[in-house]
Amino acid sequence: DWVIPSLLYITRFHVNLFADHANVSYRENVSDPASGLVDQRLQSFGADFVSRLHPFSFFAPFDVGLRTIYLPGEDEFEFRLLFSFQI
């Protein structure tokens, strides 16, 4: 546990790893039934870095973190903020 008195009480850090994979087939032109199918492979890999904290000595914990995502098909990274409140 980490404490900054009267400001912040951090009770936990954790990391979640994930990987997603999907094979998708769809019509190039939905209004034309004769149009060909497009096959696509979608993938992503990443990690969530999350900390549970109690700001200003609030009784219920908040989870705050950062999600990092790598999309190999596009060769790029994305970042998202995570936030949840538990009652």
Side-chain angles (χ1 to χ4, degrees), residues 22-82:
N23 289 320
V24 180
S25 294
Y26 59 92
R27 293 211 179 273
E28 218 167 14
N29 184 351
V30 178
S31 62
D32 180 12
S35 68
L37 285 175
V38 176
D39 293 322
Q40 192 173 16
R41 188 170 84 178
L42 305 173
Q43 293 179 316
S44 68
F45 307 95
D48 297 339
F49 302 93
V50 182
S51 114
R52 177 160 294 158
L53 49 92
H54 298 260
F56 307 109
S57 301
F58 194 67
F59 72 94
F62 290 85
D63 285 347
V64 178
L66 178 69
R67 174 171 289 162
T68 59
I69 305 165
Y70 175 64
L71 304 168
E74 300 171 22
D75 195 28
E76 68 179 39
F77 284 90
E78 290 184 9
F79 301 93
R80 309 262 168 88
L81 293 176
L82 302 174

Side-chain angles (χ1 to χ4, degrees), residues 2-15:
W2 293 0
V3 177
I4 301 173
S6 300
L7 184 61
L8 191 62
Y9 174 53
I10 300 173
T11 59
R12 176 180 150 170
F13 288 105
H14 62 277
V15 176

